[in-house]
Structure formats: structure tokens, C-alpha cells
Amino acid sequence: MSLPTPEQITERLRAVIDPELRRSIVELGMVRSIDVKDSGRVEVVVSLTTAGCPIRSHFEGAVAQQISDLDGVTEVAVGFDVLSDEEKGDLQQTLGRGKLPQGALAQVKNVICVASGKGGVGKSTMTANLAAALSAEGHPAGALDCDVYGYSIPRMLGVNSKPEVNAERKILPLEAAGGVKVMSIGFFVEENSAVVWRGPMLHKAIQQFLEDVAWGELEYLLLDLPPGTGDVSMTLAQLLPQAKFAIVTTPQPAAQTVAKRAADMAAKFDLELLGTIENMSGFTTPGGERFTIFGEGGGQQLADELDIPLLGKVPLSEALREHADAGTPLVTAEPDSPASQAIRQAARGIVAATPQELPVLQAVPEAAEPPPVSGTPLPVVQ
């Protein structure tokens, strides 16, 4: 019986992704050793960033799942040790991080950055309503307000109080109507006060929101990015190398051109583009007459240029603005309105474009033996 080589096993382990660092455990140097016994038993030692790593069981199941079906493997044993301080320092330097995460994003399946490149296109409104739409359709979602200077997610989701801290010293996100988990710098400053910070403070705040907030089990964490392609966008690209981008634009060429810059920034960091959302695509009067106030076709043109899908065209809607100001997302307050239907379509597009399983594969129990066939045999017609 032929046995797999350590090289073959290493190649299989490239499919095991650290759900926080969003990279393979092989790429991160977390595979300490691989030992293949003559009996077919494979022993793998994985190095963790901390002894009490909360995602240890994820790694154990994923490693076993990847190796167990290789020819010649009869048993898989997964052991663990902890990276030395020097190894942690090397990993931090490789990732460009001040510290390594402690498990806050371990149960978040998909991180979606909602970007626009410019302000005034309704990006925050889209983020709040997309999170509410995903949650309403059975996909637990959260919204992180990364627009530190122009935070508006708390108002749009109707939550505003100081978060509590749990026993593990993790910040507990607030919960909006419909179960959307929310975090924003707005929860920590006086109401409507200006945040006057330089780049390093922005970086630290965003990193803390990602690593020190107890997000729990979420299918989607939507990040409302600030306009432009500056400090916050680069911080997120550095901290979340497997995040995906949804680009919001209005139909007019001026917005479309600037939105493409946000897409170009994502491409420079090898981040996946999910699609575009065209907001304010047209206004229909109560009499049925339609006006293209901000032009026509910019979202589709941008999608074609980037070779990504157009997730939805959201009409200009007074009700959408009113409910955003009132903290009651339109998709839940008036689910049958044209704007709500368009946003729900965009949310379904996001679901269709993202994996519905954690990147870390789980062991699948063997199927039970089928019951024996019983009953009276039928005669065979000759």
C-alpha cells in the first residue's frame, strides 16, 4: 500500500484557512510537523497563536477532513503547540500587524466591504439596508461603521448606546431590530461630536473593531467604508486579505468614474469584487412617469468595465431616505416597495456570490447504512 508524501499532505493543507487571518495555515507557517507512519497513521502538529485559541476545533476538523481521504491514510491525529514569541513576531511582520487576533472573527463566514470611492451616493444607506435584508432572509448579519469621521450607521439602524464588555474582555456589539449586530465609533463619543484623528489612530480603531468585538456567529459582516481610497481602506486590505468588495455608484459618469478607483484599489490588494449596486437609478412619480435625475446606465457600465455582475438598481426613493433617518430600514419597514425589492435582490446576489460554508472545512459524519429492502417481490414481466 502506497503512503502519501509530506509534500502531498502539505498541498492538501493549503485548503485549511485561518478564518481570522483569511490565509492558509501553510502560508502562515502554522504547520509545525507532518509525520507519516508505516501503518498509514498521519500525525500533524499545528502551531497556534495562543494556547487557548478559540478556533482550535476548527483546525482539528479541517486538517482531518483534508487528509483522511488520501490513498493509504488509515488515521489522522492532530496535535497543537504554540508559536514562540519570535515566530509570532515574524508572523506579525509578515502580515504587517501590531498584534495577532484572539478569535473575534472566528465565526464570521464572509466579510463584505461596501465602498463607493466618493461620498453622497448612499453607501451607508445601502450597507444598513443590505444588512437588514440579509438578516430578514435568514442570513445572520452585522454592520461595522468604518467611516470614523462620518459615522451614520447607528442612526440608520436605530441603535445608540455604549456597548458592554463580556467576561473575556470583548466588546459586545449592539443589536438592531431584526437581529443585525452593529458597531460604530459613534457609540463611544458624545452625540454628533467630531472625531479628529490622524491615520495611526484610525488604523488602531478599525483593528480593535475587528479583533476585540465579540461578533459571534455571522454569515455576513458588512463594512461601511468611508469615501476615498485612503488609510481605512488600506488598513482593511491589510487586516482582511480575503474580504470582498461591493461597489456602490449612482448612474452618472462622475460617480461611476470615482467608484472605479475604489475597485482599482481592491484589485491592487488582490481583493475580490462581488459586484456593483446602482443607487438613485431613477425616480417614478405616483402617476407612473419616470425621470432619470442622475442619468442612466452608470452601474451597468461600471459592472461591464470591471467584468463583475450588477447586483441591483435601487430607484431614488423618498421613503428610503425617511426610514434611514428614522432608524427603521426600508427593507423591513416596507418590504414590498420597489426600493426594498431592489435591495433584497442585491442581497440575494451577495449570497449567491459567497460561500455558504466556513472556509475551514468541518468533518462530515459518515452516512448510516441504508435499511434492508423489505416487502413482497413483484413479478417480472417477460
Side-chain angles (χ1 to χ4, degrees):
M1 178 179 65
S2 62
L3 297 172
T5 65
E7 291 75 19
Q8 289 174 315
I9 294 172
T10 298
E11 194 60 33
R12 281 297 188 94
L13 293 180
R14 292 185 186 279
V16 180
I17 305 296
D18 185 306
E20 287 196 307
L21 298 176
R22 311 281 166 167
R23 296 188 188 179
S24 160
I25 61 172
V26 174
E27 180 185 356
L28 294 170
M30 296 171 64
V31 181
R32 177 75 73 189
S33 64
I34 298 173
D35 190 9
V36 183
K37 305 294 186 182
D38 291 339
S39 63
R41 175 185 169 94
V42 177
E43 298 177 353
V44 178
V45 175
V46 176
S47 297
L48 304 174
T49 57
T50 178
C53 181
I55 51 179
R56 174 176 176 148
S57 61
H58 289 302
F59 290 132
E60 187 171 14
V63 169
Q65 176 81 15
Q66 287 298 317
I67 299 174
S68 60
D69 61 349
L70 283 172
D71 290 340
V73 175
T74 59
E75 184 183 1
V76 179
V78 185
F80 298 91
D81 67 7
V82 180
L83 293 170
S84 67
D85 291 340
E86 183 179 354
E87 289 169 329
K88 289 180 184 178
D90 291 341
L91 182 54
Q92 288 172 326
Q93 187 173 5
T94 300
L95 297 172
R97 304 174 74 138
K99 66 174 183 175
L100 297 175
Q102 301 293 316
L105 286 179
Q107 296 173 290
V108 176
K109 296 182 182 180
N110 300 284
V111 178
I112 311 296
C113 298
V114 184
S116 64
K118 73 185 298 294
V121 300
K123 172 180 47 58
S124 297
T125 302
M126 289 300 105
T127 301
N129 278 273
L130 284 169
L134 287 165
S135 182
E137 298 207 359
H139 304 283
L144 171 56
D145 196 344
C146 295
D147 192 350
V148 175
Y149 296 138
Y151 53 90
S152 53
I153 291 295
R155 178 176 190 137
M156 291 182 174
L157 286 173
V159 288
N160 192 17
S161 60
K162 192 168 183 178
E164 297 180 355
V165 177
N166 65 14
E168 288 75 37
R169 301 189 63 79
K170 296 288 185 183
I171 304 169
L172 297 174
L174 301 185
E175 191 166 305
V180 177
K181 293 183 178 180
V182 189
M183 182 54 57
S184 170
I185 192 64
F187 299 151
F188 301 93
V189 298
E190 293 184 16
E191 188 173 358
N192 294 324
S193 64
V195 177
V196 186
W197 287 353
R198 292 189 182 274
M201 294 184 69
L202 290 174
H203 179 99
K204 186 175 181 180
I206 297 301
Q207 184 170 346
Q208 185 170 16
F209 284 157
L210 292 172
E211 298 176 357
D212 294 334
V213 172
W215 290 108
E217 292 188 22
L218 292 178
E219 285 193 35
Y220 296 94
L221 177 60
L222 274 62
L223 277 55
D224 180 28
L225 268 60
T229 55
D231 290 329
V232 171
S233 297
M234 288 188 288
T235 290
L236 292 170
Q238 184 182 59
L239 296 177
L240 300 168
Q242 286 196 338
K244 300 174 176 64
F245 270 62
I247 307 297
V248 179
T249 184
T250 58
Q252 66 194 99
Q256 173 211 331
T257 301
V258 179
K260 185 178 182 300
R261 296 174 197 163
D264 291 342
M265 185 278 298
K268 286 181 180 179
F269 288 97
D270 294 323
L271 300 175
E272 181 182 346
L273 296 175
L274 283 184
T276 64
I277 300 172
E278 182 182 279
N279 191 26
M280 309 179 195
S281 65
F283 175 72
T284 303
T285 68
E289 190 174 2
R290 186 171 184 271
F291 294 91
T292 55
I293 297 173
F294 291 97
E296 189 81 46
Q300 185 64 64
Q301 186 175 344
L302 179 61
D304 292 342
E305 191 173 349
L306 297 172
D307 195 24
I308 56 177
L310 175 64
L311 298 173
K313 296 176 65 175
V314 182
L316 189 63
S317 167
E318 185 177 11
L320 181 60
R321 189 271 305 165
E322 289 176 340
H323 281 284
D325 284 340
T328 54
L330 184 70
V331 292
T332 52
E334 298 182 28
D336 295 327
S337 72
S340 290
Q341 289 298 309
I343 295 171
R344 284 177 177 263
Q345 178 186 340
R348 295 183 191 111
I350 289 174
V351 172
T354 50
Q356 297 306 293
E357 297 289 338
L358 273 170
V360 176
L361 302 176
Q362 304 299 310
V364 180
E366 294 184 5
E369 287 290 329
V373 178
S374 61
T376 304
L378 292 173
V380 177
V381 178
Q382 303 295 330

